[in-house]
Amino acid sequence: MGRVIPALIPAPRVLAVHDGVFELTADTALSGPECHATRFLAALLRRAAGHAPPSAREGALALTLDGPADLGEEGYRLDVTAEAVRLRARTEEGLFRGVQTLRQLLPAEIESPAPLPGPWRVPCVSITDTPRFRWRGVMLDVARHFFDVAAVKRFIDRAVPYKFNILHLHLTDDQGWRLEIPSHPRLTEHGATSQVGEGDGGHFTRADFTEIVAYAAAHHMTVVPEIDLPGHTQAAMASYPHLAPEGVTPELYRGIDVGFSQLAIHNPATYDFLDAVFTELAALTPGPYLHVGGDEALQTTAEDYAAFMTRTLPLAVRHDRTVVAWQEAAAAPDLPEGTHLQYWRPTHEPVPEPLAAAASRGLPLIMSPANRAYLDMKYDDDTALGLRWAGTVGVRQSYEWDPESLVPGARVVGVEAPLWTETLTTPDDLDHMLYPRLPGLAEVAWSPAPKDWPSYVTRLRAHTARWDAAGITSYHRSPELED
């Protein structure tokens, strides 16, 4: 068999394609350290072949932790010859990223849930790969519409092949509070019972959330929980009236308007409540980040916003968490060292002065511009699902942008693709908005700049066969992918 040009997404930093293939058969032995990467690859091959690959001290399919230092925390070296596959990294996380590349080198049928006869052919390549950014995130809004543990795990499964490493969960909003807080049971007894439109809402128990965090960790994804403050808080105030400015219980909310709610900023009990919530989150989430929202607090004066952030952010820091907040928090005084600001407004709007000033001080930025990275925007005018307040966002538009060009002088640490759920109610709805834009955002986050659309769209077309094999039937059939 001749030379094969693999359709890898995200594109690796260095790729050399050689003549020949490696044939992976039922007798191909797998060796590697006891870690998530080895277990993931074994499970993938077990599903494909109907039985586990034999293990050996030195298999023809070998994973090792002896990679060179310049691979960093997530880099890997993959060498495929006709005789063997060798995957090297410095860390278990690097091995896991390399396994996802090996997965894409296998035929599309490897994604099928039904076992298929081999042999499985892998093109001979040499790959050296490291990520461009350390923060490569996807966000799922479970507040506007609730999605259960199974749906969140499926969401993780969609992100894993494309090397995302952050799962940002938007857990609270006007429409619902989605996480059990034992010290404040009405948050879920009452505040979780609504969502946009009809339906009973829902919430995660502590055990549910622990299960999600563990599943993400097994796929080398860090969960970043968000409690959106001081606006987007109607569900919390409907549960505990003392959190409301007037001390009067508001109604549960089922609409999609924003900017009308705010906590009782001058009530000391508000901060006792937040400390209890942050304490619970710190116990449930071992990752280093806590997202405090901070966006669209339209009823809050600049003075009150500053006062609120001044009292709230130290509560997160007290629990040894790095604060993450939407870009509006740049206006808060004395942001804790290392605070990550998330840029989200469309790129055609001018950069707000507080954000530019924060960037000039070296605060790290996560880039999520709505007209490039928001996965809930309609693809085009005919898209049934989604919103269009930031315009329509086609596949090419979500791919052709440079995160480091948006805020002059900024220290960009990553890219995140948010998926808001005002119009989304089922896991298939999520798939429709994820695909085919998600792989392009993964490449923006992982691969070196600049990007080449003709090369990328050719590779992306090949991935539709993988989605078909995996049973992902609801992805958007974009005309941009037509030959």
Side-chain angles (χ1 to χ4, degrees), residues 29-390:
L30 170 65
S31 61
E34 180 60 29
C35 67
H36 294 312
T38 305
R39 289 191 290 270
F40 185 96
L41 181 56
L44 180 71
L45 299 178
R46 183 188 306 114
R47 185 184 70 188
H51 56 81
S55 59
R57 186 179 182 86
E58 294 184 8
L61 184 55
L63 281 58
T64 61
L65 288 169
D66 60 350
D70 60 2
L71 292 178
E73 292 299 308
E74 292 189 271
Y76 63 91
R77 169 83 188 193
L78 178 61
D79 293 290
V80 182
T81 67
E83 292 75 34
V85 175
R86 302 293 186 214
L87 175 60
R88 302 171 62 203
R90 291 185 63 241
T91 67
E92 294 179 5
E93 189 171 4
L95 284 181
F96 191 81
R97 306 300 173 215
V99 164
Q100 304 313 313
T101 298
L102 176 57
R103 177 183 183 178
Q104 291 188 18
L105 289 170
L106 288 158
E109 291 76 18
I110 198 72
E111 304 297 339
S112 172
L116 298 169
W120 299 89
R121 293 180 174 86
V122 185
C124 292
V125 296
S126 299
I127 294 172
T128 301
D129 203 9
T130 55
R132 179 182 181 186
F133 295 116
R134 64 171 173 82
W135 186 294
R136 304 180 308 282
V138 286
M139 189 213 81
L140 179 60
D141 167 25
V142 296
R144 271 51 179 271
H145 281 102
F146 180 65
F147 290 86
D148 63 13
V149 172
V152 176
K153 286 182 175 181
R154 173 169 148 159
F155 188 79
I156 292 170
D157 290 340
R158 301 307 193 234
V160 163
Y162 298 108
K163 300 185 175 67
F164 288 96
N165 66 346
I166 295 288
L167 174 64
H168 171 183
L169 288 176
H170 184 79
L171 293 168
T172 68
D173 215 296
D174 294 313
Q175 298 84 355
W177 184 284
R178 305 302 181 202
L179 179 63
E180 176 189 18
I181 305 295
S183 63
H184 291 76
R186 276 187 58 79
L187 289 171
T188 47
E189 291 172 355
H190 182 66
T193 60
S194 56
Q195 59 183 15
V196 169
E198 301 300 320
D200 296 330
H203 71 277
F204 301 125
T205 66
R206 297 175 80 254
D208 290 336
F209 196 73
T210 297
E211 184 177 348
I212 289 169
V213 169
Y215 191 80
H219 295 80
H220 287 281
M221 294 186 75
T222 298
V223 172
V224 178
E226 180 187 354
I227 306 298
D228 203 352
L229 306 163
H232 293 275
T233 49
Q234 185 88 347
M237 295 186 297
S239 304
Y240 289 97
H242 69 270
L243 298 176
E246 304 302 325
V248 177
T249 306
E251 297 293 326
L252 292 173
Y253 182 66
R254 293 181 176 272
I256 64 171
D257 290 339
V258 299
F260 58 86
S261 61
Q262 71 164 356
L263 292 174
I265 288 171
H266 300 290
N267 185 348
T270 294
Y271 304 97
D272 293 337
F273 164 75
L274 294 179
D275 191 39
V277 171
F278 293 170
T279 298
E280 184 69 15
L281 280 175
L284 291 175
T285 314
Y289 304 106
L290 172 60
H291 204 304
V292 299
D295 62 318
E296 297 175 325
L298 304 183
Q299 300 302 313
T300 308
T301 67
E303 182 180 5
D304 280 355
Y305 187 88
F308 176 83
M309 288 298 184
T310 297
R311 294 190 67 173
T312 297
L313 300 187
L315 298 178
V317 175
R318 187 172 77 82
H319 293 290
D320 197 26
R321 292 298 184 268
T322 295
V323 172
V324 187
W326 299 106
Q327 66 182 62
E328 288 92 329
D334 302 320
L335 289 172
E337 183 178 355
T339 296
H340 288 41
L341 296 173
Q342 191 164 357
Y343 176 104
W344 67 276
R345 297 298 301 178
T347 57
H348 55 260
E349 297 182 0
V351 176
E353 190 281 329
L355 183 64
S360 70
R361 299 196 304 271
L363 264 67
L365 300 191
I366 302 160
M367 309 310 287
S368 303
N371 62 329
R372 300 288 187 173
Y374 268 35
L375 293 166
D376 57 298
M377 292 296 105
K378 291 177 178 289
Y379 288 94
D380 52 42
D381 291 336
D382 296 326
T383 307
L385 298 171
L387 302 174
R388 55 168 304 159
W389 61 265

